[in-house]
Amino acid sequence: MKKYTKIKDISNLQETIKEAILLKMNPFEFEDLGKHKTLVMLFFNASLRTRLSTEKAAKNLGMEVMILNVNDAWNLEFEDGTVMNANTSEHIKEAAQVISQYADVIAIRAFPSLTDKQKDESEFVMNSFVKYATVPIVNMESATAHPLQALADAITISEFTKKEKPKVVLSWAPHPKALPQAVANSFVEMMQNLDVDLTITHPEGYELSEAITKNTPINHNQEAALKDADFVYVKNWSNYKDYGKVLNQDENWMMTKAKLGNAKFMHCLPVRRNVVVEDAVLDGQQSVVIQQANNRTFAAQIVLKQILGKL
């Protein structure tokens, strides 16, 4: 693996999932692989699980880790030909090359604006680093994708499934804030690459990009969609067509124990209790959100291991 900015960068998904699960049994087996190697983590947006799990994964492999909260340090310029007489003080062309001299791998977290769809979908932050950096780039969540989370989700389903082809449902839920489509996008794409029966359910008008959903069935009747589900992944996302807007806060879409049935409950966290999901689900035995969060470490670790193996 030369980089991990999108799910397609994984050459053998099933083998990668198996290797990640094996890493959990002996996380320090390859602790010499990253010796004298440095991971630089750049955060344009705050993080809890992604930051801690990726740092832990790197250290499990023997890497040194440096962390920079980019927007607290300086404002980068990404546009070519710009006269930099405003609030940006350094251009990505120099910044990416300089950071590459300090790092063997660069990991980046940069959310969308949710105001300019075209700019967000261009992935200008992530792609600028890919273009100008001279070391591998890892996506810790970008404007449209969260491939590390999706890999952790795939690991979790692989560990807990009791069927050859489980039914997996991605369900929209209400949320008071406008949230990105990144997690939902990557979850759908990941599930499309696994042997699962995937259904998406959300209120009318909350369709994700057709480039993401493709032929995946979409059901606007949540309870019908949830029937006989083995895994239910609950996530809010803001409107894609009326970009970044919150047009529906229907409380009836909150996940409840009655709706969940016998399925395992999944969520990327953080989650708003009794808004997105009721306490009885989160605190119940069918919730695997803590195990899912733990798998973030091993998703990151298998990615870093594969990248280090190519250096």
Side-chain angles (χ1 to χ4, degrees):
M1 186 185 295
K2 295 182 178 179
K3 62 179 178 65
Y4 189 55
T5 59
K6 54 186 181 296
I7 291 168
K8 291 179 181 178
D9 290 327
I10 300 175
S11 59
N12 189 323
L13 180 56
Q14 289 293 350
E15 189 62 31
T16 296
I17 292 169
K18 289 178 183 177
E19 287 184 22
I21 293 171
L22 287 174
L23 276 175
K24 294 179 72 172
M25 301 177 188
N26 188 1
F28 304 112
E29 182 179 359
F30 302 96
E31 62 183 341
D32 291 331
L33 187 62
K35 189 175 181 180
H36 303 311
K37 296 288 193 293
T38 301
L39 172 68
V40 171
M41 301 168 67
L42 306 179
F43 289 92
F44 290 83
N45 299 94
S47 172
L48 189 156
R49 274 152 297 276
T50 299
R51 176 168 177 166
L52 296 178
S53 63
T54 307
E55 182 175 359
K56 181 175 176 63
K59 290 181 175 179
N60 284 353
L61 294 168
M63 299 184 78
E64 299 292 330
V65 180
M66 295 192 289
I67 298 171
L68 182 62
N69 295 315
V70 178
N71 284 348
D72 291 343
W74 80 101
N75 291 319
L76 283 175
E77 179 60 59
F78 291 89
E79 299 293 336
D80 287 334
T82 301
V83 177
M84 292 171 56
N85 60 358
N87 65 336
T88 54
S89 57
E90 182 157 7
H91 201 281
I92 183 62
K93 289 183 180 181
E94 291 79 51
Q97 293 179 76
V98 168
I99 296 168
S100 296
Q101 296 178 112
Y102 310 145
D104 297 282
V105 181
I106 300 172
I108 300 160
R109 184 175 177 91
F111 289 174
S113 66
L114 289 179
T115 56
D116 187 331
K117 182 193 288 189
Q118 184 175 359
K119 190 172 184 180
D120 287 346
E121 291 191 329
S122 75
E123 292 283 10
F124 70 96
V125 174
M126 199 66 58
N127 287 336
S128 293
F129 275 96
V130 170
K131 182 177 181 180
Y132 295 115
T134 57
V135 298
I137 303 298
V138 173
N139 183 342
M140 297 192 296
E141 188 172 0
S142 63
T144 67
H146 199 344
L148 279 179
Q149 178 66 56
L151 182 53
D153 300 336
I155 293 166
T156 305
I157 289 174
S158 296
E159 286 182 313
F160 281 95
T161 190
K162 296 178 180 178
K163 296 181 179 178
E164 286 190 13
K165 188 172 184 176
K167 179 177 178 179
V168 179
V169 179
L170 171 64
S171 178
W172 181 94
H175 197 285
K177 293 174 61 178
L179 298 184
Q181 295 93 28
V183 170
N185 286 346
S186 288
F187 182 74
V188 170
E189 184 179 350
M190 180 62 77
M191 292 302 107
Q192 289 168 343
N193 283 279
L194 296 178
D195 190 18
V196 303
D197 178 9
L198 176 65
T199 296
I200 304 170
T201 183
H202 56 70
E204 290 190 33
Y206 267 74
E207 286 74 18
L208 296 164
S209 168
E210 290 183 1
I212 296 292
T213 57
K214 299 176 182 175
N215 296 322
T216 298
I218 297 170
N219 192 335
H220 300 305
N221 183 323
Q222 187 188 37
E223 293 195 22
L226 294 171
K227 188 176 186 298
D228 298 325
D230 297 296
F231 295 89
V232 175
Y233 197 113
V234 175
K235 185 72 180 80
N236 173 269
W237 58 87
S238 57
N239 199 286
Y240 177 75
K241 186 176 181 181
D242 196 353
Y243 191 62
K245 299 294 189 296
V246 177
L247 303 178
N248 191 320
Q249 292 181 316
D250 186 350
E251 295 178 359
N252 292 319
W253 279 82
M254 180 180 74
M255 186 54 55
T256 65
K257 193 172 178 63
K259 291 181 189 177
L260 187 64
N262 295 318
K264 297 291 186 185
F265 173 79
M266 300 179 69
H267 192 283
C268 61
L269 301 181
V271 63
R272 295 193 178 222
R273 285 175 174 262
N274 303 307
V275 175
V276 172
V277 55
E278 68 177 4
D279 285 341
V281 172
L282 267 179
D283 298 331
Q285 293 184 348
Q286 290 163 242
S287 174
V288 296
V289 298
I290 303 303
Q291 296 93 324
Q292 194 179 348
N294 184 47
N295 282 334
R296 291 297 310 277
T297 295
F298 303 101
Q301 190 168 338
I302 193 60
V303 165
L304 290 172
K305 176 181 177 289
Q306 291 188 10
I307 288 174
L308 289 169
K310 295 291 185 180
L311 294 182

